[in-house]
Amino acid sequence: MRKSTILCDFDLDGAGCCLLTKWVHPNREFQFIGTNEKELMSYLSEADPKAPVFVYDIAFDQSHIDIADRPNVVFVHHHEPQTNLIAKNCKVICHQETSCVKLLQKLYQPDLSDAQNDLLSFIDDYDCYDLLYKKSLFYNMLFWSYSGNKIEKFVEAFENGDRPFSDLEKNMIKLYASKMLETAKNSDPHIYRAKNFNILFFYADFAINELCAELSKKYDCDAAVAINKKTMHAWIRINREKQTNFDCGIFSKIYMNGHGFKNFGSGEITDKILELSKSFNKV
């Protein structure tokens, strides 16, 4: 049997999707590839047409479907598509859900152990950022602490589901938390104040969700933008604790040459952002 390929978002939710698919298909061999929408076309073009391909939690459009419109290809995303998508042979599943792993659970309806279900609940809790469980944050910290193929290492470490962390894993989490605090100290936050919303801009290349959440809450902003100084890539996250009509996806498209949804988006630092920066206020 040919090895199946999973192309997934390079994050904890993507790793959870890989684990769940492996649990559902225990007799299949998989290769796990964490990627993004910019690289997805290249991977689909080079994929073995006879081998099964699963695409999880990566923004895709009609061009991706056209190049991989085969019965052995499945696209799954936990957000409604922004345009109408047409597939003749491959399967396309786009439904609004709290996480991609939660959507896959509903699709597969697998018979899992308590430990497996608990792990998926932690991953879903982190991806939707409800953070009902402190352990959800720890799992994300651990995922980003791995070196090499993070997805493969996470799948291997938690192949049986949730379990107590080892002493080594606890130390990895502590180091991550320490680095996060140091990054926050050196983030150089500035606020852009508009008529109907305030946006915080700061520097970070790591712990994006956590820092955006904490800093937007601290400075009472509608959203926060984290900027990677080296690559000039940027991520925007909504302040979930504030009642706001601000839309991160629209802001990303207009100002960051990017894309996203209401609660989050990404892109790059453009001339439009640089123009806005003239009105920034240091905090």
Side-chain angles (χ1 to χ4, degrees):
M1 183 181 291
R2 293 175 186 270
K3 184 179 285 190
S4 301
T5 297
I6 296 180
L7 301 170
C8 63
D9 199 8
F10 189 50
D11 63 3
L12 182 64
D13 192 25
C17 290
C18 291
L19 259 175
L20 176 54
T21 307
K22 188 178 180 182
W23 291 337
V24 172
H25 302 288
N27 298 320
R28 282 195 192 179
E29 253 192 286
F30 291 96
Q31 65 170 336
F32 308 120
I33 300 175
T35 184
N36 55 51
E37 54 273 12
K38 289 185 177 179
E39 298 173 351
L40 180 58
M41 185 65 80
S42 175
Y43 280 116
L44 291 174
S45 302
E46 297 168 5
D48 181 350
K50 295 183 180 179
V53 176
F54 301 84
V55 180
Y56 293 146
D57 200 25
I58 304 176
F60 57 86
D61 56 30
Q62 190 62 48
S63 64
H64 296 103
I65 293 172
D66 291 342
I67 204 168
D69 198 4
R70 305 185 297 273
N72 59 352
V73 177
V74 179
F75 291 87
V76 181
H77 199 5
H78 67 107
H79 296 286
E80 297 289 347
Q82 297 179 340
T83 58
N84 190 35
L85 301 173
I86 300 172
K88 294 179 181 178
N89 299 297
C90 67
K91 184 174 283 188
V92 177
I93 302 166
C94 296
H95 296 301
Q96 193 67 36
E97 192 47 83
T98 50
S99 66
C100 197
V101 79
K102 188 72 171 181
L103 178 56
L104 283 184
Q105 276 187 285
K106 289 186 175 181
L107 294 173
Y108 283 130
Q109 296 187 337
D111 184 16
L112 301 177
S113 68
D114 288 345
Q116 290 171 325
N117 278 318
D118 286 347
L119 177 57
L120 298 183
S121 293
F122 289 130
I123 293 173
D124 173 66
D125 182 50
Y126 180 82
D127 201 62
C128 67
Y129 220 70
D130 280 344
L131 302 185
L132 301 175
Y133 315 102
K134 197 170 184 178
K135 197 170 185 179
S136 306
L137 271 173
F138 294 158
Y139 268 119
N140 187 65
M141 290 178 175
L142 188 58
F143 174 83
W144 288 108
S145 296
Y146 290 128
S147 57
N149 190 328
K150 300 179 192 297
I151 290 176
E152 205 168 80
K153 289 187 176 180
F154 188 89
V155 168
E156 184 179 342
F158 297 98
E159 61 181 350
N160 295 319
D162 178 48
R163 58 167 174 74
F165 294 130
S166 67
D167 288 341
L168 174 61
E169 289 166 344
K170 289 176 183 176
N171 285 332
M172 291 166 69
I173 291 167
K174 287 178 182 176
L175 285 172
Y176 185 100
S178 177
K179 184 180 176 184
M180 188 169 70
L181 290 173
E182 188 64 27
T183 302
K185 287 180 185 177
N186 300 313
S187 61
D188 192 23
H190 287 68
I191 295 179
Y192 173 72
R193 302 185 190 279
K195 183 179 179 180
N196 298 315
F197 57 83
N198 298 327
I199 306 176
L200 183 78
F201 289 81
F202 67 97
Y203 291 115
D205 59 359
F206 142 98
I208 303 302
N209 288 339
E210 289 80 4
L211 291 173
C212 281
E214 288 304 312
L215 293 175
S216 62
K217 176 183 174 183
K218 179 178 180 179
Y219 296 108
D220 192 30
C221 290
D222 296 80
V225 176
I227 301 167
N228 184 320
K229 278 185 180 180
K230 293 180 181 178
T231 65
M232 299 308 284
H233 190 79
W235 303 265
I236 183 168
R237 301 290 186 265
I238 202 80
N239 182 351
R240 292 174 182 265
E241 297 195 13
K242 185 173 183 178
Q243 290 282 347
T244 178
N245 293 320
F246 185 83
D247 191 307
C248 294
I250 293 174
F251 185 88
S252 299
K253 186 175 181 179
I254 295 174
Y255 289 97
M256 296 163 56
N257 193 28
H259 70 278
F261 299 88
K262 186 181 187 309
N263 289 344
F264 65 92
S266 63
E268 57 194 11
I269 298 305
T270 63
D271 289 342
K272 289 183 178 179
I273 291 288
L274 295 177
E275 187 63 30
L276 282 184
S277 71
K278 296 176 183 177
S279 303
F280 285 2
N281 295 300
K282 186 173 176 62
V283 294

